[in-house]
Amino acid sequence: MKIAFDAKRFFHNTSGLGNYSRDLVRILSEYEPENEYLLLNKNKSERGKDILDRSNVKFIPTSKGKFSRQFKMGKDAQKQNADIFHGLSGELPLKWDKKPIKKIVTIHDLIFVRYPQYYSFFDRKIHFWKFKKAADMADKIIAISEQTKRDIIDYLKVPETKIEVIYQGCHKAFKEEQSQELIKETKEKFNLPERFILNVGTIEDRKNLLNVVKAINGTNIPLVVVGRKTKYYQKIESFLKKNKIEKQVFFLEGVSMDELAAIYKLADIFVYPSFFEGFGIPIIEALFSKTVVVTSNISCLPEAGGNDSVYIDPKNELDIRAKIKFLWENESERKRREEKGFEFVQKFNDEPIAKELMNLYQKII
């Protein structure tokens, strides 16, 4: 079987959609090696180079020109005699030849519909049009959580039978045992405290970091934050200065994937009080790292966290503080939940996900 992918995110996105794209191609090429995997894009980059080195993965340069992704990429896939075209980020090409090809699209979330305040009017309209068009055109839609599946049915008016939920995994670094040497070097490089709680993700309104900062105010619990800053960071900075707790919160930048995996392992607790996610990959990164998770009791987050993560009301800083303090002061409870969480997260391993994807591909062929 030949499977063609829209590889724009594979080559050019550093986080979310890029990680999903690279992981999906990596695990398919590893666990389903008899197929050919074609990465279509105008150009390639150094990202995913190790995956591209595999004999069953090929880069296919697509036609140049403005809007070639929308109007030419589909036809380019057909010229390669691909059996399936998989759009990895909510989009499919608009133009196709008559040659038969099955179409699949992965939709990660519809946050732009649920939380319009985070998007400009123009972006909301464009996103909705593209996602609706792709959903209608696809033979099958992959939703990355039950929450996203419900949103696709409700907002895009797609029949349930057209949607398959296939969870995503996370980067292999979080499943590996980092050496004690690397862990020690990482701790020293970033000057990390002896004990700390961790938050990972873009520093933006929806991720709700301010309520974590409010929750630790008045405690002596250090917080380490790894994520790109947006304008929202100014609110956090202002609160830290006003309450004179700047030294309690550590903002890290330039963290490699292996260093991040080490930081997860060093943390006592991972805190993720987001208001809404399509899935919440940092949660499974933490669970694979055997670090207990405190996360929101809404959206898809309980799907990612399982029964033994600790759930909070993300709007309630007192609830967040109480749950953090409870775990911070109870090592045996942390350990119990870490072990249970590690058992639960095995369902997000590479091999079962590769099998589910291949079953779907074979079903539509």
Side-chain angles (χ1 to χ4, degrees):
M1 203 187 309
K2 267 191 188 183
I3 300 137
F5 299 97
D6 175 352
K8 180 183 176 184
R9 310 292 182 186
F10 180 102
F11 289 118
H12 299 298
N13 276 54
T14 53
S15 55
L17 296 175
N19 289 336
Y20 172 79
S21 302
R22 288 183 288 275
D23 273 341
L24 185 142
V25 177
R26 175 181 63 79
I27 66 175
L28 282 172
S29 64
E30 189 171 329
Y31 292 100
E32 303 290 341
E34 66 283 359
N35 303 297
E36 206 174 331
Y37 303 101
L38 311 179
L39 300 177
L40 277 68
N41 197 44
K42 286 183 200 172
N43 47 48
K44 55 183 175 177
S45 71
E46 285 301 300
R47 288 190 192 94
K49 189 177 180 302
D50 55 328
I51 301 165
L52 206 48
D53 286 342
R54 296 177 180 185
S55 60
N56 56 0
V57 181
K58 288 182 184 164
F59 169 65
I60 306 293
T62 54
S63 307
K64 299 283 192 268
K66 210 174 180 189
F67 301 117
S68 62
R69 188 164 168 243
Q70 289 78 14
F71 296 118
K72 295 174 182 174
M73 188 181 278
K75 294 179 182 182
D76 288 334
Q78 289 170 303
K79 281 176 195 162
Q80 296 293 323
N81 296 315
D83 300 292
I84 294 171
F85 184 95
H86 189 165
L88 298 170
S89 56
E91 295 178 57
L92 283 172
L94 302 172
K95 296 287 182 187
W96 304 85
D97 286 332
K98 289 180 181 172
K99 190 180 279 194
I101 187 167
K102 295 292 185 180
K103 305 172 190 78
I104 292 178
V105 66
T106 298
I107 294 181
H108 297 259
D109 60 67
L110 293 170
I111 293 171
F112 59 90
V113 184
R114 275 185 164 271
Y115 291 89
Q117 66 269 33
Y118 299 139
Y119 297 83
S120 72
F121 173 81
F122 182 71
D123 282 348
R124 289 198 312 269
K125 292 295 177 194
I126 289 289
H127 285 336
F128 188 86
W129 184 85
K130 283 199 286 197
F131 279 46
K132 175 66 175 153
K133 197 86 178 155
D136 290 343
M137 193 187 294
D139 293 286
K140 277 286 183 181
I141 299 165
I142 294 174
I144 61 163
S145 65
E146 292 291 344
Q147 173 69 62
T148 296
K149 178 181 174 178
R150 290 193 296 272
D151 284 354
I152 293 167
I153 294 166
D154 292 346
Y155 296 126
L156 300 183
K157 308 302 178 200
V158 171
E160 185 175 358
T161 52
K162 198 175 181 178
I163 308 165
E164 297 269 342
V165 174
I166 299 180
Y167 291 115
Q168 57 194 115
C170 66
H171 194 281
K172 62 183 191 307
F174 303 99
K175 301 167 190 175
E176 294 168 348
E177 281 294 324
Q178 276 73 34
S179 68
Q180 283 306 308
E181 189 184 0
L182 174 69
I183 292 172
K184 184 170 175 282
E185 282 171 8
T186 303
K187 187 169 186 271
E188 287 169 1
K189 176 179 173 178
F190 294 105
N191 197 23
L192 298 174
E194 206 52 49
R195 292 183 67 196
F196 60 90
I197 63 173
L198 175 66
N199 175 267
V200 175
T202 306
I203 301 168
E204 59 182 340
D205 287 55
R206 178 170 57 84
K207 304 282 189 184
N208 193 28
L209 179 61
L210 183 57
N211 273 349
V212 182
V213 173
K214 287 178 178 176
I216 63 163
N217 186 27
T219 75
N220 61 354
I221 301 171
L223 167 65
V224 171
V225 180
V226 182
R228 180 176 60 81
K229 293 172 182 171
T230 68
K231 255 170 64 174
Y232 172 74
Y233 168 74
Q234 291 163 13
K235 287 186 187 175
I236 293 158
E237 191 177 37
S238 166
F239 183 88
L240 294 174
K241 282 180 179 167
K242 187 177 170 188
N243 291 277
K244 298 183 171 55
I245 55 168
E246 300 103 307
K247 290 186 177 165
Q248 198 175 336
V249 184
F250 302 73
F251 292 95
L252 309 188
E253 290 175 0
V255 179
S256 74
M257 206 61 91
D258 284 321
E259 288 167 343
L260 181 59
I263 292 166
Y264 270 109
K265 288 180 173 69
L266 284 162
D268 278 41
I269 303 164
F270 178 69
V271 188
Y272 199 70
S274 177
F275 290 124
F276 194 85
E277 294 293 325
F279 179 60
I281 286 181
I283 290 173
I284 65 169
E285 291 172 349
L287 294 175
F288 271 118
S289 306
K290 290 195 176 179
T291 299
V292 67
V293 170
V294 174
T295 189
S296 306
N297 58 6
I298 53 173
S299 177
C300 63
L301 297 165
E303 285 182 65
N307 291 337
D308 293 282
S309 291
V310 174
Y311 294 98
I312 46 92
D313 171 358
K315 297 191 185 95
N316 186 340
E317 69 200 67
L318 297 179
D319 187 30
I320 299 171
R321 178 183 300 168
K323 304 276 173 62
I324 288 172
K325 282 189 77 175
F326 167 70
L327 288 171
W328 184 258
E329 291 161 6
N330 287 275
E331 186 179 5
S332 61
E333 186 62 14
R334 286 201 312 275
K335 296 292 176 214
R336 184 186 75 77
R337 289 178 184 271
E338 283 164 9
E339 293 301 328
K340 290 284 192 185
F342 187 69
E343 282 174 34
F344 165 78
V345 83
Q346 300 310 311
K347 71 190 254 188
F348 303 114
N349 253 319
D350 294 350
E351 194 168 358
I353 293 170
K355 276 198 165 46
E356 285 185 63
L357 285 163
M358 195 45 62
N359 287 343
L360 177 60
Y361 290 160
Q362 286 167 343
K363 193 157 74 177
I364 69 163
I365 288 290

